[in-house]
Amino acid sequence: LKIDHEKGFGVASLRGPEYFSVIDMLYHVAPLLDRFWWHKQAGWLTVSLEKLDELKQELKAYCRKVITDEMLQKTIKVDTTIASHELTADHFHQIDSLAPFGEWNREPSLLLQWAVVKHKQLIGKTNNHLKLYVQSHDKVVEILHRSKADLIDTFTLNESYDLVVSHRRDSDRRYLVGE
């Protein structure tokens, strides 16, 4: 929120997650706004400073009413299950053929089931990345969790996990990244 005390108003930019309609929220508080505009999942508003406190209360009340605990649960979309024998250069070339990846063409999320953690370590200059070595059937696979060092205690050695990963390529090196 940017406040201009001389002109007596505040301007805000809003973003919302997929499950939340910024448009509906803005219409709900429209009587308190000087003006507002929006597009899918985003909005902008102008409010007079005399109405700012009331607006904040109304926005909080609206969110408490509309947002459920289920909405706040992180959901990971999985495109397909991948077996260890499919973790090959040929399979990764097939994934690469789907590029370019972006907002309208997401890189596939792959579910690696029953992966047994064999080794885990923190890597990077500041040890902020977690690297797991997991065994899936007869193959040991490396999975990098970028900026997820805090997850190291989540994984127990020799325990089995279902892991959601995606394929990455840096130069000629290919690897899996944890979601």
Side-chain angles (χ1 to χ4, degrees), residues 20-168:
F20 185 78
S21 172
V22 172
I23 296 168
D24 290 346
M25 181 181 68
L26 288 174
Y27 273 115
H28 178 77
V29 297
L32 298 173
L33 303 175
D34 292 337
R35 62 185 169 159
F36 65 97
W37 55 106
W38 68 90
H39 66 77
K40 181 184 177 185
Q41 304 312 124
W44 298 265
L45 63 85
T46 303
V47 60
S48 68
L49 294 182
E50 301 89 48
K51 295 181 181 178
L52 183 57
D53 289 335
E54 185 180 358
L55 175 65
K56 288 178 182 178
Q57 290 174 356
E58 284 297 317
L59 290 173
K60 287 177 185 177
Y62 180 84
C63 290
R64 280 193 293 271
K65 177 181 170 187
V66 172
I67 299 173
T68 65
D69 288 341
E70 291 79 25
M71 290 176 175
L72 298 176
Q73 296 293 322
K74 182 176 180 181
T75 302
I76 299 175
K77 296 177 182 173
V78 174
D79 295 303
T80 189
T81 300
I82 189 166
S84 61
H85 69 273
E86 295 174 306
L87 297 171
T88 64
D90 185 50
H91 183 79
F92 291 141
H93 285 297
Q94 290 177 25
I95 292 174
D96 287 341
S97 73
L98 301 172
F101 299 111
E103 184 178 348
W104 300 107
N105 184 30
R106 283 186 321 108
E107 187 156 355
S109 291
L110 312 168
L111 177 62
L112 182 62
Q113 294 180 304
W114 307 294
V116 177
V117 176
K118 291 300 186 181
H119 181 69
K120 58 186 179 176
Q121 71 183 93
L122 297 179
I123 62 171
K125 290 179 184 175
T126 59
N127 283 332
N128 60 327
H129 307 300
L130 171 62
K131 189 179 215 180
L132 297 178
Y133 296 83
V134 300
Q135 184 169 357
S136 179
H137 300 286
D138 60 342
K139 191 173 243 174
V140 175
V141 180
E142 295 176 23
I143 301 174
L144 177 64
H145 292 269
R146 289 188 176 138
S147 301
K148 299 288 184 178
D150 57 319
L151 294 179
I152 194 162
D153 294 329
T154 305
F155 297 99
T156 304
L157 294 180
N158 297 313
E159 290 288 326
S160 175
Y161 299 89
D162 291 342
L163 302 172
V164 178
V165 297
S166 57
H167 161 257
R168 293 289 187 279

